Amino acid sequence: MSDLTIAALDIGSSSTKTVIAEFINDKLKILGTNISQTKGMKHGVIVDISKLVESTSEAIRKASTLTNATVDSVYASITSKDLKIINESFSMPIQSGQVTKSHIKNLINESKKKKASEFKGKHLVHTLANFIVDETIKTENPVGMHGDKISANTYFILSPSSISRNITKSIKMSGYDIQDIFLGPLANAKAVTSYEERDIGIAVIDIGAENSSISVIVENNLVLNKIIPIAGTNIDKDIAKVFGFSVQDSEKIKIKYGYAVTENIGSQKIEGHNINEYDLAEVIEARLEIILYHLKESLKKDSSKKQNPFSVLELISSIVITGGSSQIKDIDLLAEKIFAKKVETRTPAGEDKFFKTISNPKFSTAIGILKMAEENSNVYDEMELNEGIMGKMTKWYKELF
Amino acid sequence: MNIENSLLATITANKKYLPKIKIIGLGGAGGNIINKIIAQNLFANDIDIISINTDLQSLENNDAPRKIAIGKNAYYGAGGSAKTGKQAAIESQEAIKDAIKDADLLFIIAGMGGGTGTGASAVIANLAKELNILTISTVTIPFLSEGRSQKAEIGIQSILETSDSVIVIDNEKSVQQNTRNNQRSNSHNLFFEAADNAIIETIKDICSIIYNSEEMNIDFADMKSTIQDSGIGFIGTGKGHGKNPILNAIKEASKSNILQKESLEGANSIILNFSLPEDVLVETINPALEYLNKFTHGAEIKFGLHHTTENFVKVVIIASDFINVKNDQNLDSIERYSEELEAWVPKTISQDTTDIPAIILKKQAIQNAKNTFQKLNK
């Protein structure tokens, strides 16, 4: 890909985050960002597509005007509480003694066939796989390696077709080509964690405005993703109800004066408002306790890995919190108490100097989308398995228009 | 021998100081491993190999260049009594001292559960300590079915008190490992073979760190400061291929579970030795070190490396000085907190519960609990 301007679009329930970037020699350079209000969506569900088209086109237009760039194509993310992660293993002998692309193609296709019934009415967002050659060497890309036997451990990430279709439609109707759709939580995780962390196992908690989610990534595969419909807005509403502020003011007060843990918070008055820091922290703490409790509980309910005797929490070494509400002070301490794990809050800039200009955690997913676009994450799809990602998208277009 | 002086001497001569390594095989199990080491011709002549036993007959059949019969009445062996084994080592301590006194690093190989190995190894480790010799005991613990487990535990405890580092190889685990790797090996002998090989590999790996770190050096002083008085240690090796060979090698090494210590988690100090193919960049070690640092919660890491002609990365990890990651007090407070949340957090997410400010639900629950408590006390 050469000199192409793209937009990464993270359409959240309350706001649409756009990051405009330019591909120069296969590297991405960020040109600018924009946050604008999302319309027609509630708790991650599209309720009014024409309003969504309106706010989406406005978001892209604002961002491109700001950066003085013409957007060629759009990468978007989807999030769904009805996400399905299917894990399947398949092995085959390597007759030629060397692994080729067609081995990978066959392994993934065979795994897919075994689970064919589960793909009905679903959109395949990602195919993630690990390969093991001769039961000893584990790698993500075994092509060219020598051995007698190869097995694949594949994760298919499926979302309801309607969600992808609606997102595709609204972007298309806004007048832009859609290049690829990535899974929001995966993009988010890519923005705030390192390859090594995702390899040994890490959980990413994303507390946005209306939804909170937890994603567990082990050996670079998304093994679990759970979403609950309580998040930052609920904290704002609690503050508004308890102290009688407007919801907008509550959000500002929360970010400026709020703490997630009451321990060690004194009762000093908050300037300009008739409340003290302790009372504010108490309100925030209680709501966050509910959010984090439910995120932790959702890990227990996972049954995707029947053969694994460990709980998902035992697979991870630490937890990262991101998203708009991660700005609340001491949220990491609260999560540490609840999860009994090392917890860190992170902004998408992370250690990467390249993205240094953006440090607002609201942009985690959009930055992650860019990272995935850059590394061409859908490698297995691109190998023209049954239908490459582009093939898949074109087919939708035909269905839709 | 004064190590610091000799190190100084080697620095001025700009030549690497090679410490004197000795390997002692103790008792029946130790002697068997010594025979294997010699048969495989694994070590250069400058490593001294010594067999020590209370059983003369068994010693006669041993191939070690140097053999020491211990105990005044050495002839029939210790008859499975650890007390007899210990007594024998004490009676012959001058002969043992004489054999090990010029060593910098001493390996003691013994099986735990019998008489000589269980009883004498702590005595020998103690003698080595008095002589300021860095001592690594590599011991096997028997199968549960052999019914010698309790004695083995006591044996390990007593070596732990004196040896700088104890590497415990669990026969049960090496069997599991072995059957995983090779489905066909199901005979009893092969099981023992796996444990023996694990010991030999371990010693080989440690020696290779001392002898092979040409390009970036781990000197013996580093190694000594890591291992000295460190307790039960972890040693693992791994090979790495693919896109991220260094990391893959480390991952494999940190999972090699033939040793009793299962994980690197909580290690305070770590030594790594990399064998890198020419095309693997030295810079790529850094992210792998960060990974280890995070994984262990901040261990001090030292590493050495040399290049090889192989096409994969090999890493040897020695970790020691483990702290207990989860301390009990901490766990208690976590449990208490989760019970507290359990008591008031609504179990289902519905409009009704999310509309009420969370703090009100929480305070109500606390008030209800207080009321119930008061009623009960009336």
Side-chain angles (χ1 to χ4, degrees):
Chain A
M1 233 179 276
S2 65
D3 292 30
L4 190 71
T5 305
I6 63 161
L9 208 56
D10 169 25
I11 306 175
S13 301
S14 99
S15 61
T16 300
K17 279 74 72 176
T18 315
V19 179
I20 309 268
E22 201 178 14
F23 263 116
I24 298 169
N25 301 327
D26 281 347
K27 285 274 171 223
L28 273 169
K29 190 172 170 272
I30 292 180
L31 301 175
T33 63
N34 175 258
I35 298 187
S36 59
Q37 204 197 334
T38 305
K39 289 173 194 155
M41 198 184 239
K42 233 177 157 32
H43 286 303
V45 180
I46 298 168
V47 290
D48 185 335
I49 194 140
S50 63
K51 279 197 174 158
L52 183 65
V53 170
E54 196 184 300
S55 73
T56 304
S57 61
E58 193 186 284
I60 304 175
R61 206 190 54 239
K62 272 187 184 165
S64 53
T65 317
L66 199 79
T67 52
N68 209 5
T70 317
V71 171
D72 298 306
S73 60
V74 171
Y75 286 82
S77 64
I78 54 165
T79 308
S80 164
K81 66 174 175 43
D82 300 314
L83 206 69
K84 214 168 175 183
I85 301 174
I86 298 173
N87 182 213
E88 187 56 60
S89 301
F90 200 85
S91 319
M92 58 164 65
I94 312 167
Q95 251 123 25
S96 55
Q98 192 173 9
V99 183
T100 63
K101 277 188 181 178
S102 75
H103 285 113
I104 293 176
K105 194 167 137 181
N106 287 339
L107 282 168
I108 290 175
N109 275 337
E110 289 302 324
S111 308
K112 217 182 218 171
K113 267 189 214 158
K114 276 168 93 175
K115 296 277 178 172
S117 61
E118 310 210 30
F119 283 72
K120 275 200 187 110
K122 302 280 177 191
H123 158 55
L124 176 61
V125 194
H126 292 284
T127 306
L128 305 170
N130 260 324
F131 301 91
I132 299 161
V133 179
D134 288 346
E135 289 177 5
T136 47
I137 306 158
K138 205 166 190 175
T139 170
E140 277 158 71
N141 186 9
V143 173
M145 288 173 76
H146 295 268
D148 299 321
K149 187 186 167 193
I150 181 163
S151 36
N153 185 27
T154 313
Y155 287 84
F156 297 107
I157 300 171
L158 306 171
S159 79
S161 299
S162 57
I163 296 181
S164 330
R165 213 177 281 147
N166 283 331
I167 292 279
T168 309
K169 192 173 171 181
S170 62
I171 290 167
K172 189 78 186 162
M173 281 168 74
S174 307
Y176 295 93
D177 277 334
I178 183 157
Q179 190 71 31
D180 210 341
I181 290 185
F182 300 129
L183 187 73
L186 199 60
N188 193 318
K190 288 234 166 160
V192 295
T193 60
S194 68
Y195 179 91
E196 286 74 22
E197 287 171 328
R198 294 192 296 276
D199 206 18
I200 53 170
I202 195 158
V204 177
I205 291 177
D206 178 8
I207 306 180
E210 293 192 1
N211 287 326
S212 301
S213 73
I214 186 161
S215 312
V216 177
I217 299 178
V218 179
E219 293 187 328
N220 274 297
N221 287 323
L222 181 73
V223 296
L224 180 143
N225 171 249
K226 300 275 171 164
I227 298 172
I228 56 165
I230 340 176
T233 308
N234 297 92
I235 304 175
D236 304 341
K237 283 182 182 163
D238 282 6
I239 296 171
K241 280 176 189 163
V242 172
F243 303 112
F245 303 133
S246 74
V247 177
Q248 283 81 358
D249 282 349
S250 298
E251 195 201 348
K252 283 176 199 146
I253 293 167
K254 171 186 77 179
I255 298 300
K256 200 162 176 199
Y257 304 104
Y259 285 90
V261 182
T262 46
E263 246 172 64
N264 310 324
I265 303 295
S267 55
Q268 53 269 48
K269 283 260 172 296
I270 291 171
E271 226 176 289
H273 305 280
N274 200 20
I275 57 168
N276 73 44
E277 283 191 356
Y278 185 88
D279 292 342
L280 178 66
E282 211 177 33
V283 172
I284 297 172
E285 182 183 50
R287 181 55 71 185
L288 281 172
E289 279 175 336
I290 294 185
I291 295 173
L292 294 170
Y293 171 87
H294 278 285
L295 289 176
K296 191 185 174 190
E297 284 299 299
S298 72
L299 296 183
K300 288 187 190 162
K301 287 173 201 146
D302 181 58
S303 56
S304 68
K305 278 212 142 190
K306 286 175 228 97
Q307 75 277 26
N308 199 330
F310 297 104
S311 91
V312 180
L313 265 178
E314 283 169 71
L315 297 174
I316 58 169
S317 68
S318 59
I319 297 173
V320 165
I321 304 187
T322 185
S325 300
S326 67
Q327 297 170 77
I328 301 170
K329 291 179 272 293
D330 289 349
I331 194 171
D332 46 341
L333 300 182
L334 184 69
E336 245 165 36
K337 276 165 68 184
I338 292 175
F339 283 88
K341 288 272 173 190
K342 204 177 84 186
V343 179
E344 237 180 273
T345 55
R346 290 212 194 137
T347 58
E351 293 145 19
D352 200 334
K353 282 178 196 130
F354 183 64
F355 293 118
K356 212 170 183 175
T357 46
I358 306 166
S359 58
N360 187 337
K362 284 183 177 169
F363 282 108
S364 299
T365 302
I367 296 295
I369 295 172
L370 287 184
K371 283 200 169 182
M372 292 179 85
E374 186 175 40
E375 66 193 38
N376 224 335
S377 288
N378 280 329
V379 273
Y380 306 120
D381 290 334
E382 283 216 334
M383 285 172 180
E384 291 162 27
L385 299 167
N386 268 345
E387 35 186 26
I389 181 89
M390 289 312 289
K392 210 159 51 190
M393 305 298 286
T394 329
K395 217 168 111 193
W396 290 345
Y397 293 160
K398 279 178 193 153
E399 279 169 19
L400 290 169
F401 304 102
Chain B
M1 180 196 266
N2 188 323
I3 291 162
E4 269 174 345
N5 280 349
S6 30
L7 269 173
L8 251 168
T10 54
I11 289 163
T12 42
N14 199 17
K15 204 181 149 201
K16 195 177 169 191
Y17 166 72
L18 289 179
K20 182 76 191 162
I21 299 173
K22 298 201 177 201
I23 303 173
I24 288 180
L26 194 54
N32 280 341
I33 296 175
I34 291 291
N35 275 352
K36 275 183 198 163
I37 290 175
I38 289 167
Q40 292 174 38
N41 199 17
L42 287 174
F43 296 104
N45 288 333
D46 44 3
I47 293 181
D48 285 353
I49 298 173
I50 305 160
S51 267
I52 296 180
N53 209 336
T54 48
D55 180 346
L56 263 183
Q57 207 171 2
S58 158
L59 214 49
E60 261 165 32
N61 293 328
N62 198 279
D63 302 326
R66 184 162 189 177
K67 304 174 199 179
I68 304 168
I70 53 167
K72 275 183 197 151
N73 308 313
Y75 189 77
Y76 291 117
S81 156
K83 207 175 159 190
T84 311
K86 184 179 176 182
Q87 192 55 39
I90 293 170
E91 282 163 9
S92 303
Q93 55 177 306
E94 287 311 316
I96 298 169
K97 264 190 193 170
D98 192 56
I100 62 173
K101 66 183 181 212
D102 58 336
D104 295 309
L105 171 61
L106 176 69
F107 290 100
I108 300 172
I109 308 173
M112 289 293 107
T116 310
T118 316
S121 46
V123 178
I124 297 177
N126 202 27
L127 292 174
K129 202 176 179 74
E130 280 170 17
L131 293 164
N132 193 24
I133 300 167
L134 183 65
T135 310
I136 300 174
S137 298
T138 53
V139 300
T140 55
I141 47 177
F143 289 100
L144 290 176
S145 55
E146 290 177 89
R148 312 194 283 188
S149 199
Q150 203 190 352
K151 203 199 281 174
E153 285 299 325
I154 296 166
I156 289 170
Q157 275 311 318
S158 59
I159 315 171
L160 257 175
E161 283 163 22
T162 46
S163 197
D164 288 304
S165 185
V166 180
I167 292 166
V168 183
I169 289 167
D170 188 337
N171 268 326
E172 302 275 347
K173 266 190 197 141
S174 48
V175 170
Q176 288 162 12
Q177 173 111 338
N178 202 44
T179 43
R180 244 198 317 267
N181 290 346
N182 187 351
Q183 297 289 348
R184 280 160 295 184
S185 56
N186 52 5
S187 91
H188 203 256
N189 276 341
L190 277 172
F191 291 166
F192 282 112
E193 188 111 9
D196 289 358
N197 289 343
I199 287 194
I200 295 171
E201 280 300 312
T202 301
I203 295 175
K204 228 169 81 184
D205 288 335
I206 296 174
C207 292
S208 81
I209 291 184
I210 295 168
Y211 286 128
N212 284 340
S213 295
E214 291 135 2
E215 276 143 73
M216 282 179 86
N217 220 339
I218 292 171
D219 57 39
F220 185 65
D222 280 340
M223 185 139 159
K224 191 161 180 170
S225 72
T226 300
I227 295 174
Q228 209 156 34
D229 298 324
S230 64
I232 287 201
F234 174 101
I235 171 154
T237 60
K239 287 174 186 170
H241 305 256
K243 197 170 130 195
N244 229 318
I246 292 182
L247 191 69
N248 289 343
I250 286 187
K251 271 171 62 186
E252 195 185 306
S254 50
K255 280 176 192 159
S256 54
N257 63 351
I258 204 158
L259 308 178
Q260 206 191 28
K261 189 95 208 163
E262 282 206 50
S263 162
L264 282 174
E265 211 174 344
N268 265 335
S269 56
I270 290 179
I271 285 184
L272 295 168
N273 192 42
F274 294 101
S275 311
L276 300 182
E278 292 292 338
D279 61 337
V280 175
L281 294 175
V282 176
E283 292 91 283
T284 55
I285 288 179
N286 267 332
L289 296 184
E290 276 167 29
Y291 159 87
L292 259 184
N293 189 282
K294 278 181 188 153
F295 192 77
T296 54
H297 308 289
E300 188 189 326
I301 300 170
K302 289 169 186 157
F303 73 96
L305 64 89
H306 68 277
H307 282 99
T308 70
T309 50
E310 306 272 14
N311 62 354
F312 54 84
V313 170
K314 191 185 174 199
V315 65
V316 182
I317 299 181
I318 301 176
S320 60
D321 200 5
F322 284 82
I323 50 151
N324 207 349
V325 197
K326 297 165 190 147
N327 71 54
D328 292 342
Q329 209 187 344
N330 199 12
L331 256 178
D332 268 3
S333 76
I334 284 161
E335 252 165 48
R336 228 177 303 128
Y337 190 38
S338 97
E339 275 169 23
E340 209 181 289
L341 290 181
E342 199 72 43
W344 73 269
V345 172
K347 297 297 165 300
T348 51
I349 300 167
S350 69
Q351 196 71 38
D352 295 347
T353 53
T354 38
D355 274 354
I356 305 166
I359 185 68
I360 291 175
L361 293 173
K362 187 178 179 179
K363 285 194 166 164
Q364 254 170 17
I366 293 170
Q367 193 54 48
N368 288 346
K370 269 187 193 161
N371 292 346
T372 322
F373 186 73
Q374 274 166 4
K375 265 185 208 161
L376 285 173
N377 278 315
K378 263 178 193 171

